[in-house]
Amino acid sequence: MTLTDKVLGKAGAGTDAGAPPPPAPPSQFAVPGNTRGQILRLLLALVVITAIFVGFGLGDLLLFIVILVVIVMLHEAAHFVTAKLSGMKVTEFFVGFGPRLWSVRRGETEYGVKALPLGGYVRITGFTVLDDVAEEDESRTYRQAPFWKRIIVGSAGSAMHFLIALVLALIVAFSFGSPGNNESVMSLDHWDGVVTTPAQAAGLKAGDTIVSVDGKALGSVNALHDTIERSVDKPLTLGVERDGQLLHITVTPTNGDGIKVTQDGVTELLAPKSASKPEGFIGVGLEQANSSLGAGSAVVNALDTIRSDTAGEILGIGKLFSASGLGSFYHQVTNSNVAAQAAKNPSTDVRPVSLVGIASLGVQSEQQGLQSLFGLLILINIIFGLLNMLPMLPLDGGHVAVAVYEWIRTKKGRPFYRADITKLFPVVAVFLAFLSVFVIAALYLDVTHPLT
């Protein structure tokens, strides 16, 4: 099961493995005589959906939705595989919801695709004590499986999210390296009323990597910026890597007082006239350059990325659902100015994100490159993995919590204790009502004040 189905109102992910859609009547199952027609319907649906997105210039959005659906199906595949290996009966594994476009039965499981490509689901027999199961299948239900099998199957989806995050982190580490102290020149600025900036006069180019200043390697992330700022009218010799060669380029920062730079239609002063001392500028846009990593260092870097991102998201979730976090969220929904400020500073202000917001960030990340996209997908998988294990039904963590509770209550030599989950229904109802309001509010903010 997935967070986006349970927390975000079935707007874009898989359903609870224990609470799937009602079984379809036998007449809807695939039979050899209509397989060709089903395949044609499936292909037609894919062509129509693709044409609509591309026609409206939303190709990047379609790609990100496909990526999310793949992530969801990997989540469901984890439940499916572990259930099969545990000897449980799995009757359905579908991509999408709604009417069947294509399906095929292999053994006791029906595989297929449905009309609405918004996620998917896997159906495991007897996921709760409330499910009606044929007597001959009872021994192969989830509820009759040993405790350790129930834990593995129930937590497999979240484990898959962390595995996906780790694979992506390894790809980033091996392909892009790790941010270091060097700086890459993203762009050359154009100053209003200034024919040639110091950077242009020196011959710097977009794509150059600055590795040293006056023969000294950059010792920190801000070393280059700080040196340029305090070196007004003082020549600096920059060590620049360009096309595999090391060049030495001399540039002289100039005082930015009163100089205006126009970017994206917005004109700003480089340095305010009220500045107490001159500030040096050369006219470049900089970003941290990556350093290549060896195999061992790349693995360590990937593991550290997962560790730090997980720790950060745990703190973020705790902050969001704290009294102050919920208060901040309420003020954003009720006050447009507060919402606008939070949208500009998502790292400092508490701001939950709905599927719409995730899709918007995904498109922005795609446009910034693979490293940015992979970084976002790492965070998404970690968040899904964590939230999905919250000990509350109908999340996976709720089913795991029930299994743990039953194991604790079972006394040695006595029949296995079965919890009456109907007693939890009032709590579950309150939880789902809260999440519904929460999701609608997050959706409202993502539409009216999208994150950047």
Side-chain angles (χ1 to χ4, degrees):
M1 73 187 68
T2 64
L3 165 73
T4 44
D5 173 59
K6 289 169 268 189
V7 176
L8 302 179
K10 297 184 180 180
T15 60
D16 183 345
S27 61
Q28 289 185 320
F29 288 167
V31 295
N34 67 4
T35 298
R36 179 176 297 178
Q38 290 184 343
I39 293 176
L40 290 176
R41 287 199 301 271
L42 173 60
L43 294 176
L44 178 61
L46 293 175
V47 170
V48 170
I49 291 172
T50 302
I52 291 174
F53 275 87
V54 173
F56 283 94
L58 300 175
D60 289 340
L61 177 59
L62 176 61
L63 175 60
F64 191 73
I65 291 175
V66 171
I67 291 173
L68 288 182
V69 171
V70 170
I71 290 174
V72 169
M73 296 317 300
L74 288 174
H75 173 115
E76 298 301 334
H79 287 305
F80 174 81
V81 171
T82 52
K84 283 282 192 179
L85 292 176
S86 298
M88 300 176 190
K89 184 174 182 179
V90 183
T91 57
E92 293 184 7
F93 187 2
F94 270 84
V95 178
F97 302 98
R100 283 172 172 80
L101 295 177
W102 170 83
S103 65
V104 62
R105 181 174 292 280
R106 292 289 183 265
E108 61 189 11
T109 305
E110 183 186 11
Y111 306 84
V113 179
K114 295 191 174 182
L116 302 177
L118 303 176
Y121 68 89
V122 57
R123 183 176 186 181
I124 302 174
T125 300
F127 209 73
T128 73
V129 295
L130 301 179
D131 295 345
D132 291 329
V133 178
E135 183 176 353
E136 62 271 19
D137 291 332
E138 182 62 37
S139 63
R140 298 184 58 209
T141 60
Y142 172 87
R143 64 195 180 204
Q144 293 293 344
F147 169 71
W148 64 273
K149 290 185 178 180
R150 295 172 68 189
I151 295 298
I152 291 175
V153 174
S155 59
S158 286
M160 175 59 75
H161 284 302
F162 279 95
L163 178 60
I164 294 171
L166 178 58
V167 170
L168 292 174
L170 285 169
I171 293 174
V172 170
F174 278 105
S175 302
F176 301 101
S178 175
N181 296 329
N182 297 337
E183 299 277 0
S184 291
V185 177
M186 292 189 300
S187 61
L188 298 180
D189 294 338
H190 295 281
W191 295 349
D192 292 0
V194 177
V195 177
T196 305
T197 66
Q200 292 168 339
L204 284 171
K205 296 182 179 181
D208 287 346
T209 299
I210 302 174
V211 299
S212 65
V213 179
D214 290 337
K216 297 180 180 179
L218 303 180
S220 67
V221 173
N222 297 319
L224 178 61
H225 175 272
D226 293 343
T227 301
I228 293 174
E229 186 177 272
R230 64 173 180 264
S231 301
V232 175
D233 296 329
K234 298 178 181 179
L236 299 174
T237 300
L238 305 181
V240 176
E241 290 184 353
R242 179 187 299 168
D243 299 328
Q245 295 183 333
L246 179 63
L247 307 177
H248 292 90
I249 295 176
T250 300
V251 61
T252 303
T254 188
N255 183 13
D257 186 20
I259 295 177
K260 296 180 179 179
V261 58
T262 301
Q263 291 181 337
D264 299 326
V266 178
T267 301
E268 296 181 350
L269 287 172
L270 285 181
K273 292 184 178 181
S274 60
S276 59
K277 60 181 180 179
E279 294 182 16
F281 292 85
I282 63 174
V284 293
L286 298 172
E287 67 176 353
Q288 271 184 283
N290 288 342
S291 301
S292 60
L293 298 171
S297 298
V299 172
V300 172
N301 180 270
L303 292 173
D304 186 64
T305 296
I306 300 302
R307 178 199 60 77
S308 60
D309 284 355
T310 301
E313 293 307 327
I314 291 174
L315 292 175
I317 292 171
K319 183 179 180 181
L320 174 60
F321 290 103
S322 68
S324 61
L326 292 175
S328 174
F329 186 31
Y330 171 79
H331 288 305
Q332 292 176 49
V333 174
T334 57
N335 188 310
S336 180
N337 292 331
V338 175
Q341 183 64 30
K344 294 179 180 178
N345 301 283
S347 61
T348 57
D349 295 307
V350 177
R351 170 66 186 272
V353 182
S354 70
L355 275 180
V356 171
I358 291 175
S360 175
L361 292 175
V363 170
Q364 295 177 52
S365 295
E366 286 180 58
Q367 295 169 349
Q368 291 183 9
L370 282 178
Q371 187 174 3
S372 177
L373 175 61
F374 284 178
L376 177 64
L377 292 176
I378 289 170
L379 288 175
I380 288 175
N381 276 283
I382 289 174
I383 293 171
F384 282 6
L386 290 173
L387 292 182
N388 194 49
M389 288 307 293
L390 291 177
M392 178 63 69
L393 293 173
L395 302 177
D396 283 348
H399 293 288
V400 170
V402 169
V404 172
Y405 175 74
E406 291 178 343
W407 178 73
I408 294 174
R409 288 291 305 271
T410 300
K411 297 180 180 179
K412 189 174 182 179
R414 301 288 298 275
F416 196 83
Y417 177 81
R418 298 296 178 190
D420 182 5
I421 64 172
T422 60
K423 294 180 179 179
L424 294 175
F425 284 0
V427 178
V428 173
V430 172
F431 175 69
L432 292 178
F434 168 78
L435 285 183
S436 297
V437 174
F438 192 87
V439 168
I440 292 173
L443 179 61
Y444 166 76
L445 290 177
D446 286 332
V447 172
T448 58
H449 298 88
L451 293 173
T452 301

